[in-house]
Amino acid sequence: MSSDERMEECLGWAARDPSGFLSPYKFSRRVVGSDDVSVKITHCGVCYADVAWTRDKLGGFGGSKYPLVPGHEIVGIVKEVGSNAQGFKVGDHVGVGTLVNSCRDCEYCNMYMDVYCSKGVVRTFSSVDVDGTITKGGYSTFIVVHQRYCSRIPDVYPLALAAPLLCAGITVYSPMMRHKMNEPGKSLGVIGLGGLGHLAVKFGKAFGLSVTVFSTSLSKKDEALNKLGADGFVISSDEEQMKAMAKSLDFIIDTASGDHPFDPYMSLLKTGGTLVLVGVPTQVKLSPISLISGMKSISGSATGGIKERQEMVDFCAAHRIYPDVEIIPIQYINEALERLIKGDVKYRFVIDIENSLK
């Protein structure tokens, strides 16, 4: 039997051009290799990256390759395993995040920090795969991926809720762990209360931190304090409220992608404090004095490593940390993306692939 005959047809939703409009699309997945697993997708989270890539807004990453099937917060059930894929078996619950391959040989891959691979990663969608084809993401019925890039989802953890952990969750968990923000008693600031921000609050509370949310919207106050359990809420445009927080925080996670000033936030850090940027504003501009006067740092962080992603999933299962999601059918995805642009979601859309894409 030839490879072409063995390739399996997959149904997805794709954008055909920079309008970003998604509609049904049929394509073929590659043959399951010896180290691969084939995963029946049950759910896929909706990330703002899906908007950016479908509308070709990230040319610096090589440009969008159409037809483009987005989605990199993928969860599902293993339906086939390759002969050398010893880590998984048919029926296992698994998740796939933002990448599906890397060199697996450089210093970063050897540390299981493949997201920083020296030779570049193969992204879950709109990237050139090992067989020369263009990767297609999780807005589809199944995916074939090297076992290294799968995370095991505990059976007790609802698959629909696990999806946002694969990007939003690990994106905030990774820098918190790297900067030792899992030590009770420390103080955390969270800028923005969206898909990433609300999970940063949940992790912070689980770690025993004092958590303050910063937002430009007063409507987020009740959600932050009463629903998510934050210890404080500050309107970032209110100079008096900001001044009252001066030198009070050990660490700030900045999830905001809109342009905003940085000096006011740097003033909130204690001596030696750090602000980590996980959002993507168009520029970062601040006074050198903001860093020098308090031995402060500003850093960036991507989605995190493979091993720590598994650690995070297990931590969420053990501590019953669940993202707040709105589950939608695939047929609603274009409306959902428009709502996401407007910030009209609490706090992550998750597509019910299994029951709506057939």
Side-chain angles (χ1 to χ4, degrees):
M1 183 180 292
S2 71
S3 295
D4 288 342
E5 288 174 323
R6 294 173 58 196
M7 292 180 75
E8 187 176 350
E9 186 176 85
C10 185
L11 178 60
W13 276 50
R16 272 67 169 193
D17 55 53
S19 71
F21 184 82
L22 292 154
S23 58
Y25 172 64
K26 290 182 180 179
F27 61 100
S28 295
R29 291 289 189 188
R30 74 165 190 261
V31 174
V32 177
S34 59
D35 295 309
D36 289 338
V37 295
S38 179
V39 181
K40 172 190 173 184
I41 299 173
T42 62
H43 299 84
C44 186
V46 179
C47 177
Y48 196 85
D50 300 342
V51 174
W53 281 102
T54 55
R55 303 186 184 199
D56 201 17
K57 301 295 186 182
L58 290 170
F61 287 84
S64 300
K65 298 172 176 62
Y66 299 102
L68 191 153
V69 178
H72 60 204
E73 294 182 340
I74 303 166
V75 292
I77 302 169
V78 175
K79 65 173 187 166
E80 184 180 351
V81 297
S83 58
N84 293 334
Q86 304 299 319
F88 299 96
K89 65 181 185 303
V90 173
D92 283 347
H93 291 186
V94 298
V96 179
T98 59
L99 67 153
V100 293
N101 221 323
S102 61
C103 81
R104 302 197 293 278
D105 192 44
C106 69
E107 60 178 313
Y108 300 105
C109 288
N110 286 332
M111 293 188 292
Y112 288 92
M113 296 297 289
D114 301 52
V115 66
Y116 301 110
C117 176
S118 297
K119 298 179 181 179
V121 302
V122 176
R123 296 182 302 273
T124 306
F125 61 83
S126 198
S127 195
V128 181
D129 207 347
V130 292
D131 61 353
T133 62
I134 303 303
T135 55
K136 305 289 194 295
Y139 292 16
S140 57
T141 50
F142 75 98
I143 190 169
V144 178
V145 60
H146 191 288
Q147 65 168 343
R148 178 183 176 102
Y149 307 94
C150 287
S151 297
R152 187 179 301 279
I153 308 297
D155 290 343
V156 297
Y157 202 95
L159 284 172
L161 302 183
L165 301 180
L166 280 305
C167 175
I170 188 60
T171 297
V172 294
Y173 181 91
S174 180
M176 291 179 77
M177 298 301 291
R178 187 164 63 252
H179 291 275
K180 296 180 171 54
M181 284 302 292
N182 60 336
E183 299 173 358
K186 288 187 174 181
S187 51
L188 168 70
V190 178
I191 303 174
L193 196 60
L196 277 68
H198 93 287
L199 282 169
V201 174
K202 287 174 184 273
F203 286 136
K205 295 308 298 178
F207 290 145
L209 310 181
S210 174
V211 181
T212 301
V213 172
F214 296 85
S215 175
T216 57
S217 176
L218 183 61
S219 65
K220 299 288 184 72
K221 182 175 183 179
D222 182 66
E223 301 167 20
L225 299 178
N226 299 320
K227 185 175 182 180
L228 298 174
D231 301 280
F233 180 87
V234 172
I235 296 293
S236 55
S237 58
D238 188 316
E239 292 185 10
E240 293 303 314
Q241 289 188 41
M242 293 289 281
K243 286 180 181 178
M245 293 292 295
K247 299 180 180 180
S248 66
L249 302 174
D250 293 293
F251 189 72
I252 297 174
I253 290 184
D254 186 349
T255 73
S257 288
D259 288 340
H260 56 283
F262 284 84
D263 289 312
Y265 290 111
M266 300 305 292
S267 72
L268 309 184
L269 291 169
K270 298 177 182 178
T271 299
T274 299
L275 182 149
V276 168
L277 187 67
V278 295
V280 191
T282 60
Q283 65 176 356
V284 176
K285 186 177 180 180
L286 73 163
S287 167
I289 297 299
S290 290
L291 304 178
I292 295 169
S293 63
M295 198 174 63
K296 299 170 185 177
S297 302
I298 184 167
S299 178
S301 188
T303 54
I306 293 170
K307 283 190 173 180
E308 65 182 352
R309 188 175 70 188
Q310 185 65 62
E311 174 188 291
M312 174 211 60
V313 170
D314 292 340
F315 181 83
C316 288
H319 294 267
R320 298 182 179 181
I321 298 172
Y322 304 114
D324 293 353
V325 306
E326 181 178 335
I327 299 175
I328 62 170
I330 188 69
Q331 293 78 11
Y332 186 72
I333 187 57
N334 290 300
E335 291 86 347
L337 292 175
E338 291 298 329
R339 284 180 54 192
L340 179 59
I341 292 169
K342 299 174 184 176
D344 180 23
V345 55
K346 296 178 183 176
Y347 290 96
R348 204 68 159 181
F349 287 117
V350 172
I351 306 168
D352 183 351
I353 297 290
E354 184 176 32
N355 291 311
S356 65
L357 183 55
K358 298 177 180 180

